[in-house]
Amino acid sequence: MKYRILLLLLISLNCLAQKTTIYGIGDSTMANKIKPEVNPERGWGQMLSSFFNDDVKVDNRAVNGRSSRSFINEKRWDSVYKALKPGDYVFIQFGHNDEKFADSTRYTNPHTSYRHNLIRFVNESREKGAIPILFSSIVRRNFNENGVLIATHGEYPLETRLVAQEYNVPFIDLEYYTELLEMSYGPEKSKKLHLHYKAGEIPYYPEGKEDNTHLCVKGANEVAQLVVNQIRLMDSPLVAKLKKAIKK
């Protein structure tokens, strides 16, 4: 009896060890949010696990307010790097806070330090046998008076694309796909993707909220769906395990 229990335990541990982990590194648009039972805000990385079967585990290490610089300087990347094992994935999305030029702890020049931080994430992921995937930043809901969606991320998405091309990294252009998503809803209805609440409408924001950067449950779920859709369409053996693990 003891032998049978031990054997089952070893099999269970082996199955667990075989799981592929997706590590998310990035900012608040990707991060897990506190008090999900009452807080309507979500990061798109917070929603990913619902799209994959049990062969994949999502370990979302993205944190509010972080840039590629502060994520490294706070040793958050070190903790991910140490945990990586062959066959894992690293989903990398920075840019929102790298552009904070008034904050020396977060700002990066897109063509120098930001670029080299992305290269570091890519190279060190590969050192551990993990597979990096680069993402451009999701757009902000920033329509002008003519209903045109205006970009706010400057050169950061471009540099992400260039690093992906130069280093042959799978790349998902979330700036583009979220731009299409926002425009499909239009200037007014796109508020449903973000945090727009009148005073007294929900207890978590008693004074109301108007936030065009961060996502509500609906918005985060739709962005996560965009990510999964693009993984399905990728013609690369590097993402074969992910594609196989996507729920039908």
Side-chain angles (χ1 to χ4, degrees):
M1 185 65 177
K2 288 182 179 179
Y3 173 78
R4 184 175 297 177
I5 292 172
L6 180 60
L7 181 61
L8 288 172
L9 179 60
L10 288 172
I11 291 171
S12 298
L13 289 172
N14 184 60
C15 290
L16 185 62
Q18 297 301 317
K19 278 194 175 185
T20 297
T21 301
I22 298 172
Y23 289 92
I25 66 171
D27 55 46
S28 57
T29 61
M30 187 188 201
N32 294 347
K33 306 301 175 179
I34 63 169
K35 301 180 179 178
E37 67 281 0
V38 292
N39 181 4
E41 185 180 350
R42 297 290 187 277
W44 65 262
Q46 193 170 358
M47 316 302 282
L48 270 183
S49 60
S50 64
F51 292 90
F52 291 95
N53 63 30
D54 290 340
D55 293 334
V56 166
K57 172 188 173 185
V58 177
D59 188 343
N60 188 17
R61 304 286 186 95
V63 182
N64 290 6
R66 269 55 181 188
S67 69
S68 65
R69 178 192 295 275
S70 61
F71 200 87
I72 290 171
N73 288 346
E74 293 174 5
K75 308 298 182 183
R76 296 180 185 277
W77 170 242
D78 286 349
S79 70
V80 174
Y81 176 77
K82 290 174 183 176
L84 289 175
K85 65 183 187 297
D88 285 342
Y89 290 84
V90 184
F91 285 13
I92 305 161
Q93 183 210 252
F94 289 98
H96 272 91
N97 298 302
D98 286 82
E99 63 191 36
K100 307 285 187 181
F101 59 84
D103 185 346
S104 63
T105 66
R106 294 190 288 177
Y107 175 74
T108 61
N109 182 309
H111 306 300
T112 56
S113 53
Y114 177 71
R115 166 184 166 79
H116 284 280
N117 288 343
L118 294 185
I119 293 169
R120 176 178 175 179
F121 296 142
V122 167
N123 286 340
E124 292 188 359
S125 295
R126 287 172 169 172
E127 282 176 14
K128 298 295 289 286
I131 300 159
I133 299 181
L134 286 167
F135 297 78
S136 53
S137 298
I138 68 169
V139 298
R140 293 183 173 94
R141 179 184 167 275
N142 185 44
F143 289 92
N144 68 13
E145 64 276 8
N146 298 314
V148 177
L149 189 67
I150 305 300
T152 65
H153 295 308
E155 299 295 306
Y156 295 93
L158 172 61
E159 197 59 61
T160 308
R161 294 182 185 96
L162 292 175
V163 170
Q165 291 173 7
E166 184 177 347
Y167 286 80
N168 196 27
V169 183
F171 172 65
I172 294 179
D173 196 349
L174 268 190
E175 183 185 49
Y176 173 64
Y177 293 111
T178 55
E179 179 182 290
L180 295 180
L181 177 65
E182 297 280 350
M183 291 191 300
S184 73
Y185 276 84
E188 187 59 32
K189 290 184 179 179
S190 57
K191 291 178 181 178
K192 295 179 181 179
L193 302 172
H194 297 276
L195 303 170
H196 279 256
Y197 303 102
K198 297 177 182 177
E201 185 175 349
I202 62 170
Y204 198 76
Y205 298 120
E207 297 179 1
K209 184 79 170 177
E210 289 188 13
D211 183 336
N212 295 309
T213 296
H214 300 100
L215 303 164
C216 64
V217 173
K218 176 180 176 61
N221 196 66
E222 294 212 24
V223 174
Q225 181 70 70
L226 291 175
V227 169
V228 171
N229 290 347
Q230 292 309 304
I231 292 171
R232 277 199 178 104
L233 294 172
M234 281 184 177
D235 184 21
S236 170
L238 293 175
V239 298
K241 284 193 299 182
L242 286 185
K243 292 171 77 169
K244 188 176 180 181
I246 294 172
K247 291 179 180 177
K248 305 299 182 184

